[in-house]
Amino acid sequence: MRGLRGKRVLIAGGSSGIGEATARRFLEEGARVHLGGLNPDEVAAAVDRLRHYGEVSATAADVSDEAGVQRLLQQAQEALGGIDALANNAGTAWREGFLDITPAHWDAMMAVNLRGMFLVAQAVARVLVAQGTGGSIVNMSSINGMAGEAEYTHYNASKAGILMLTRTMAVELGVHRIRVNALCPGYIETPLNAQISASLGEDFVAAYARDKIPLRRTGQPDEVAATYAFLASDDASFITGTEIVVDGGQLTAM
Ligand SMILES: NC(=O)c1ccc[n+]([C@@H]2O[C@H](COP(=O)([O-])OP(=O)(O)OC[C@H]3O[C@@H](n4cnc5c(N)ncnc54)[C@H](O)[C@@H]3O)[C@@H](O)[C@H]2O)c1
């Protein structure tokens, strides 16, 4: 992809699953990467695996916490000397019927998935505006932000909110040459999904792929990482305010 060599890329939620694959892809493209993650041991282990691919540094911090986000941004800028692109990827999910969701559980989901996304996006946008360089921000939504999967009301609502966060940011920040887009993956095989699917029985994933996904398979983290890289690259130079769906056709099937 064009224009990624030497780019300074922050990947929030870069220590596992889609985020780690995204860090690897940016490093393979010649970019420099600073990644964030919640758990310090997980972050350290990811950095150890990624070092082989290029220059990578990291911060363990909670994106729902303002001080944590400040620390993430400060260490990213110190390590990279500025920021050109953000993969705003941190997120969580769990199954819970609508009638059972407590206000505390609702708040916990929103704190990470929507408040965290906002805090990181705003902090990076402020850096990009101050630099005067333009840049790219990609916020992680989901096809769950576009259609309502049962037992995920709070997750779905958080991911739908990210779509409007993304569109409005694009409208306001275009004047600063900052492009803002969202990613909407379907079922991707990651530690997060493995944990959820384990509670649904051995055959769940195979049946899900067969019955719901036109390509008849689930997706791999690398397939989402490639789209993050595309949206941050010069090949996407006129793309802003929109979302790209990476779901094997799931959203379009009846
Ligand atoms: N796996 C899928 O099928 C799928 C589909 C659509 C969207 N997504 C989204 O992709 C993103 C990555 O998911 P994944 O499946 O790779 O999950 P994962 O659990 O493997 O990785 C999640 C990442 O987010 C970080 N994170 C979680 N909570 C955090 C917090 N409070 N503060 C800082 N970092 C935090 C983790 O440390 C980790 O790096 C999430 O936003 C998720 O909603 C995943």
Side-chain angles (χ1 to χ4, degrees):
M1 263 160 232
R2 289 186 304 135
L4 290 180
R5 185 154 296 280
K7 277 249 163 79
R8 302 163 295 183
V9 181
L10 173 59
I11 304 176
S15 57
S16 172
I18 293 168
E20 183 179 346
T22 301
R24 195 166 54 238
R25 177 62 190 254
F26 274 108
L27 291 171
E28 285 170 351
E29 295 281 352
R32 292 161 59 213
V33 167
H34 188 86
L35 63 85
L38 184 59
N39 179 300
D41 292 340
E42 185 183 276
V43 168
V47 168
D48 274 350
R49 289 189 295 272
L50 289 163
R51 241 191 272 281
H52 170 68
Y53 297 91
E55 189 185 325
V56 59
S57 51
T59 303
D62 185 343
V63 294
S64 68
D65 172 49
E66 271 182 87
V69 172
Q70 268 174 18
R71 198 155 47 78
L72 173 65
L73 264 288
Q74 193 189 335
Q75 292 185 4
Q77 285 177 275
E78 277 168 18
L80 301 173
I83 298 175
D84 299 305
L86 166 67
N88 204 0
N89 183 72
T92 189
W94 63 86
R95 283 173 64 230
E96 199 167 25
F98 173 69
L99 297 176
D100 298 325
I101 296 173
T102 62
H105 283 188
W106 178 270
D107 288 348
M109 182 71 77
M110 292 299 158
V112 178
N113 283 10
L114 199 47
R115 177 185 158 86
M117 190 74 38
F118 156 70
L119 288 175
V120 176
Q122 186 189 55
V124 170
R126 284 175 172 165
V127 169
L128 296 178
V129 170
Q131 285 177 176
T133 52
S136 163
I137 292 175
V138 180
N139 295 325
M140 174 53 92
S141 178
S142 167
I143 57 170
N144 285 53
M146 305 171 96
E149 185 176 18
E151 300 191 301
Y152 290 95
T153 311
H154 38 17
Y155 180 74
N156 299 345
S158 73
K159 292 301 186 181
I162 289 165
L163 293 177
M164 197 47 80
L165 168 73
T166 301
R167 291 169 191 150
T168 315
M169 284 178 65
V171 171
E172 287 198 30
L173 298 174
V175 67
H176 299 288
R177 294 181 295 119
I178 299 169
R179 296 183 297 103
V180 190
N181 293 291
L183 269 182
C184 295
Y187 191 112
I188 309 299
E189 285 180 30
T190 67
L192 180 66
N193 255 343
Q195 197 188 344
I196 294 172
S197 300
S199 65
L200 292 166
E202 229 176 72
D203 300 332
F204 170 77
V205 178
Y208 188 95
R210 186 190 62 229
D211 298 342
K212 291 185 190 283
I213 305 175
L215 286 182
R216 302 291 192 276
R217 66 173 179 86
T218 52
Q220 295 301 317
D222 283 350
E223 296 178 291
V224 183
T227 318
Y228 264 130
F230 167 66
L231 283 172
S233 79
D234 291 348
D235 288 330
S237 52
F238 203 50
I239 301 178
T240 195
T242 192
E243 59 272 342
I244 295 187
V245 174
V246 186
D247 73 343
Q250 181 174 354
L251 194 61
T252 209
M254 280 188 70

